[in-house]
Amino acid sequence: MVSIFRGLELAKKSFERDRVYLLNHIVNNIGSIIFGYINIRIWLAVLGNTSEGMEAVTYQMVNQAGLWIVMFIPYGCYIPRKVQDGSIAYEMLRPYGLLYGSFFEILGHIAYNFLFRSIPIFLFGVLVMGVSLPSVHQILPYLITLFNGILISFLINYFIGLWSIKFLSISGIQMLYYFGCTLFSGAFISLKYYPVSFQSIVMNLPFAYTSYVPTAVYQGQFSLLNACINQWAWIIFLFITAYLLTSVLTKKMAIQGG
């Protein structure tokens, strides 16, 4: 219980650190809303004001709101920055592991993004763009799968952090991660518009379970049980891998700065 409170304190500090830049984030929200508006107009131009068109509107706006907590989180979970300035050495002296500390630090960041970025974009979608609200029995399944998607996204980003411990530079792996998210997660185009053969490949990768699956559950197009089974399988696999790699890579680190 004490360790949980310690972690929540880390999350609180991360939340407060992000809140300092609230005005900058409001400007970013305006840009994100404009991007979403243009994207929606393109989809409506293609599909028309039909049920399929409004379904695409809902998918795009719900997904765009969710991207701030499943995709647009700090690359490497702040670890690359700590490696560069040397503060990673102090992380090794703390009474908790690097994986534990990174999770709660990112949790605070995600809580901030949810309140000040995701919710405003979602409300804009509902009030202006005609986004459909989920039925009552779909709200909890959506939140469950969204949280699972956050865990998967965190663990993938954590691997980027571990990469920086070994190789210092993350530019290459960061670009690869962004490419994977953009192409395979359904972040900007619903996977149902992809060829069937490509869909089968994508659904065997973790990216789709961070963005596409939660939004599909929101729209009642994906089974909660099927979603959770696949998401939990990825979470367990990624967690075990992250735990083992952490214990190996933190035995010998190259530290810059200091």
Side-chain angles (χ1 to χ4, degrees):
M1 183 63 69
V2 175
S3 61
I4 295 296
F5 286 127
R6 185 183 293 124
L8 292 177
E9 186 63 28
L10 280 173
K12 179 183 177 182
K13 291 180 179 178
S14 179
F15 183 96
E16 292 173 346
R17 179 177 58 204
D18 284 347
R19 195 171 57 180
V20 174
Y21 303 98
L22 177 59
L23 183 59
N24 181 56
H25 297 154
I26 291 175
V27 175
N28 287 341
N29 278 351
I30 295 174
S32 183
I33 286 173
I34 293 174
F35 173 81
Y37 181 83
I38 295 173
N39 195 24
I40 290 307
R41 287 303 171 187
I42 293 174
W43 277 99
L44 289 177
V46 174
L47 300 175
N49 193 21
T50 62
S51 58
E52 185 180 4
M54 294 311 298
E55 182 181 293
V57 169
T58 297
Y59 177 88
Q60 293 298 324
M61 292 306 297
V62 171
N63 212 19
Q64 184 167 338
L67 289 181
W68 285 105
I69 54 179
V70 298
M71 182 175 176
F72 300 140
I73 60 178
Y75 293 120
C77 303
Y78 300 111
I79 297 175
R81 186 187 65 188
K82 294 174 182 178
V83 171
Q84 291 174 359
D85 64 21
S87 61
I88 188 69
Y90 296 101
E91 294 294 321
M92 298 298 100
L93 299 176
R94 299 188 186 279
Y96 48 78
L98 182 62
L99 180 58
Y100 174 95
S102 296
F103 171 73
F104 280 101
E105 197 170 6
I106 290 297
L107 184 63
H109 174 82
I110 288 173
Y112 173 87
N113 276 1
F114 178 74
L115 291 175
F116 296 106
R117 293 186 158 185
S118 295
I119 289 181
I121 293 172
F122 177 75
L123 290 178
F124 172 82
V126 172
L127 298 175
V128 179
M129 302 304 299
V131 168
S132 301
L133 292 172
S135 61
V136 175
H137 67 275
Q138 289 171 338
I139 296 176
L140 184 58
Y142 170 66
L143 294 177
I144 291 173
T145 54
L146 182 63
F147 181 74
N148 290 340
I150 290 171
L151 291 178
I152 294 173
S153 182
F154 159 73
L155 289 167
I156 295 175
N157 271 277
Y158 183 76
F159 287 126
I160 298 177
L162 294 180
W163 179 278
S164 71
I165 292 177
K166 181 66 175 179
F167 300 103
L168 300 182
S169 174
I170 66 166
S171 57
I173 193 68
Q174 176 180 318
M175 292 178 61
L176 184 62
Y177 166 75
Y178 187 76
F179 171 79
C181 284
T182 303
L183 183 62
F184 301 123
S185 70
F188 303 105
I189 301 177
S190 175
L191 297 184
K192 74 176 185 178
Y193 294 111
Y194 286 23
V196 176
S197 58
F198 190 73
Q199 287 182 34
S200 62
I201 296 174
V202 171
M203 295 308 294
N204 285 298
L205 299 174
F207 301 103
Y209 297 98
T210 64
S211 296
Y212 168 73
V213 168
T215 308
V217 169
Y218 176 100
Q219 295 184 291
Q221 299 174 354
F222 205 96
S223 163
L224 173 63
L225 179 61
N226 189 25
C228 286
I229 289 175
N230 286 279
Q231 286 180 318
W232 291 338
W234 276 112
I235 290 170
I236 292 171
F237 172 76
L238 293 173
F239 174 78
I240 293 175
T241 305
Y243 183 84
L244 293 176
L245 284 177
T246 301
S247 62
V248 172
L249 293 176
T250 54
K251 290 179 179 179
K252 183 178 180 181
M253 294 187 298
I255 299 175
Q256 297 176 302

